[in-house]
Amino acid sequence: GGSLGGQQVLEWAIAQPEVFENIVPIACTATLSPWVIAFNETQRMAIAADPTWKENDERAGREGMKVARAIAMISFRTYETYSHTQAEKNGEKLDDYRASSYQRYQGEKLANRFNAYSYWTLSKMMDNHHVGRGRGSAQEALQQIQAKALVIGIDSDVLFPLADQRFIAENIPGSKLKEISSIYGHDGFLVESAILKKTVRDFYRQEEELELKK
């Protein structure tokens, strides 16, 4: 699982450790940081500023959600990402920059497959993520995991930096940590699909070989 999916994987593996043989939490954290909560709250503020928000209509907050998604994209990517993918071909343009149209496109794209109520709820769900809640501490909770774990992080991720994945790997008994290099920030786990696929495949192959040797 990646991002919120990785957080779900951690929670499940702690809640029912006997169920899981292997887990691969990717670009996620054990407890959500104030930094990410601040991003999420800013997005919800954008939705709430939409005058249609809280109307009894599935399209309510649509325009605000477009802004929220544009805000999120800045946290998903990096300075280097935008410099690499959205730079202008020349310096003569005075409006309608590629970066501007990209932000609008991302907002419209999400609005075509999501509604603001779902977006709001998922962001709140992420805010509340804390594996140590009711379990003493995050360290104690992670130490309950029995599954063999491969923890993957992206070196340019500003949303869930590598320190988050190192913390997870240090506290899951016998876990392995793999750092992937990418200019795509948090979205690197989606963009670098070939590297990610090979990393996960190698992990499972190694685990299978260890089992055969027993």
Side-chain angles (χ1 to χ4, degrees):
S3 193
L4 180 57
Q7 292 168 194
Q8 289 178 289
V9 165
L10 291 176
E11 179 63 33
W12 294 335
I14 294 166
Q16 293 185 289
E18 71 284 354
V19 171
F20 298 88
E21 293 183 11
N22 301 285
I23 60 171
V24 186
I26 305 166
C28 66
T29 183
T31 62
L32 208 72
S33 69
W35 168 257
V36 182
I37 292 172
F39 261 112
N40 289 347
E41 182 64 22
T42 305
Q43 293 174 65
R44 289 190 294 267
M45 288 167 65
I47 294 173
D50 185 327
T52 68
W53 177 234
K54 294 188 177 178
E55 289 183 3
N56 187 22
D57 190 315
E58 66 178 18
R59 296 165 296 180
R62 178 183 170 90
E63 295 305 311
M65 185 177 64
K66 292 180 184 180
V67 179
R69 183 60 169 185
I71 293 169
M73 286 306 301
I74 298 171
S75 71
F76 296 158
R77 301 297 175 92
T78 67
Y79 180 100
E80 189 177 1
T81 309
Y82 278 82
S83 297
H84 179 72
T85 63
Q86 304 304 323
E88 299 300 328
K89 304 301 181 183
N90 60 66
E92 301 304 314
K93 186 178 286 190
L94 295 175
D95 200 1
D96 197 29
Y97 297 104
R98 293 183 67 192
S100 300
S101 62
Y102 179 75
Q103 294 300 96
R104 292 193 298 270
Y105 164 74
Q106 290 295 337
E108 191 67 40
K109 180 181 176 183
L110 185 78
N112 290 333
R113 62 185 179 88
F114 241 74
N115 71 47
Y117 294 109
S118 296
Y119 197 89
W120 184 289
T121 301
L122 284 172
S123 74
K124 283 287 190 179
M125 175 182 174
M126 183 172 281
D127 284 1
N128 289 328
H129 174 67
H130 192 313
V131 298
R133 187 177 292 115
R135 297 176 176 131
S137 68
Q139 292 96 323
E140 291 175 82
L142 291 170
Q143 289 163 11
Q144 296 176 32
I145 294 177
Q146 298 175 16
K148 296 171 183 174
L150 171 64
V151 184
I152 300 177
I154 311 298
D155 64 356
S156 58
D157 192 341
V158 297
L159 199 64
F160 298 137
L162 282 172
D164 288 351
Q165 290 86 60
R166 289 173 184 150
F167 176 84
I168 294 169
E170 287 169 1
N171 286 286
I172 297 178
S175 67
K176 298 177 181 178
L177 175 66
K178 174 66 177 180
E179 299 177 5
I180 293 177
S181 181
S182 173
I183 69 166
Y184 291 99
H186 185 62
D187 273 356
F189 80 90
L190 299 173
V191 179
E192 311 290 357
S193 57
I195 298 173
L196 182 64
K197 184 176 181 180
K198 182 180 185 304
T199 300
V200 175
R201 183 189 294 123
D202 289 347
F203 167 70
Y204 279 111
R205 183 180 294 120
Q206 291 167 7
E207 292 304 321
E208 288 174 0
E209 290 174 354
L210 288 173
E211 284 296 319
L212 290 173
K213 290 177 181 178
K214 288 182 180 180

